[in-house]
Amino acid sequence: MTKTGLILAIDTKDYDLAEQWAQIADLTGQMIKIGMEFTYACGFDAVRKLARGRQVFLDLKLHDIPNTVASAIASLVSVKPAMLTIHTLGGKDMIKAARKAINVNFPDNQKPLLLGVTVLTSMDQENLNSVNLHTTPLEQVMKLAGMALDAGVDGLVCSSEEVATLRKIYGDKVVLVVPGIRLENAKTDDQKRIMTPALAHKAGANWIVVGRPITQSANPQQVAEEIICQLQD
């Protein structure tokens, strides 16, 4: 069975709170996710400070013309992310530019995994139809996955509902990162396509991303440890 790791989402505008959460991740051996909310609120000096000495999943979901995305990636070298994200809907030329930017700008021992975001976990069939996509979420994920992998991504960000199919088709050569994880009987918040940690692990996720179920709990460290236990074979 695929080994599954836990990434703690640091989604806050408060640096002190972010550091507090990151220290929980340190204690339990987790990677941390730094996304748009923290980055836009606190700035890149704060991102670099929070990232120092830690494994970081930098989830900025870059999506623009190829040259702009490549330039943005070149500016991320000082953060030293372990993984970073781009939107696969940017197309093959954008993805190839992102791949080249990593290869050219990052030292060989510091190249982050390039992950392509497929269909957001907040999107269901109704939402896809509203933007004139009349495929199912699974069909859309599979279309984007094939194109993105051919163009040079190392892995994909997808919902837990697509993990088993992707793993069956692509085997171990693709890294699968799964957000939209919720604990048993927990609130779904704004997520539509969700799964528990244990089921995501069983389906073949390499990493699961968990934020609010941990950070908004009464005992975040305990919840993180319980989730880690669920990820064991």
Side-chain angles (χ1 to χ4, degrees), residues 4-37:
T4 306
L6 174 61
I7 301 172
L8 177 59
I10 307 294
D11 293 328
T12 177
K13 300 178 180 66
D14 183 321
Y15 182 87
D16 291 336
L17 184 57
E19 179 62 40
Q20 180 182 325
W21 290 345
Q23 288 176 16
I24 293 170
D26 296 341
L27 290 171
T28 52
Q30 301 160 242
M31 190 184 299
I32 62 171
K33 186 205 86 169
I34 299 176
M36 295 182 198
E37 182 176 356

Side-chain angles (χ1 to χ4, degrees), residues 14 61 67 98 100 116 142 186 198:
D14 183 321
K61 298 181 176 71
N67 184 68
K100 182 177 179 180
M142 299 311 296

Side-chain angles (χ1 to χ4, degrees), residues 105-142:
N105 293 284
F106 283 81
D108 287 342
N109 63 345
Q110 293 179 10
K111 293 188 191 303
L113 294 178
L114 180 63
L115 302 178
V117 177
T118 54
V119 177
L120 297 173
T121 51
S122 60
M123 299 284 283
D124 57 12
Q125 188 67 63
E126 181 181 355
N127 280 292
L128 285 178
N129 293 346
S130 74
V131 292
N132 206 31
L133 292 172
H134 298 288
T135 54
T136 66
L138 176 60
E139 290 168 341
Q140 185 66 16
V141 167
M142 299 311 296

Side-chain angles (χ1 to χ4, degrees), residues 57-63 73 83-91 94-95 98-99 102 112-120 140-142 144-149 151-159 162 166 174-179:
F57 171 39
L58 191 60
D59 187 27
L60 300 182
K61 298 181 176 71
L62 301 176
H63 186 181
I73 288 175
M83 304 189 292
L84 61 84
T85 55
I86 58 175
H87 263 294
T88 56
L89 280 172
M94 188 201 79
I95 295 169
R99 175 80 272 160
I102 288 175
L113 294 178
L114 180 63
L115 302 178
V117 177
T118 54
V119 177
L120 297 173
Q140 185 66 16
V141 167
M142 299 311 296
L144 292 170
M147 177 273 296
L149 289 164
V153 299
D154 299 298
L156 302 162
V157 180
C158 62
S159 92
E162 295 90 41
L166 288 165
V174 59
V175 176
L176 299 178
V177 177
V178 180

Side-chain angles (χ1 to χ4, degrees), residues 176-197:
L176 299 178
V177 177
V178 180
I181 298 296
R182 289 294 180 265
L183 306 184
E184 204 78 52
N185 301 319
K187 293 190 305 179
T188 61
D189 298 302
D190 51 355
Q191 305 285 3
K192 301 287 178 62
R193 289 154 40 245
I194 62 173
M195 191 174 279
T196 65

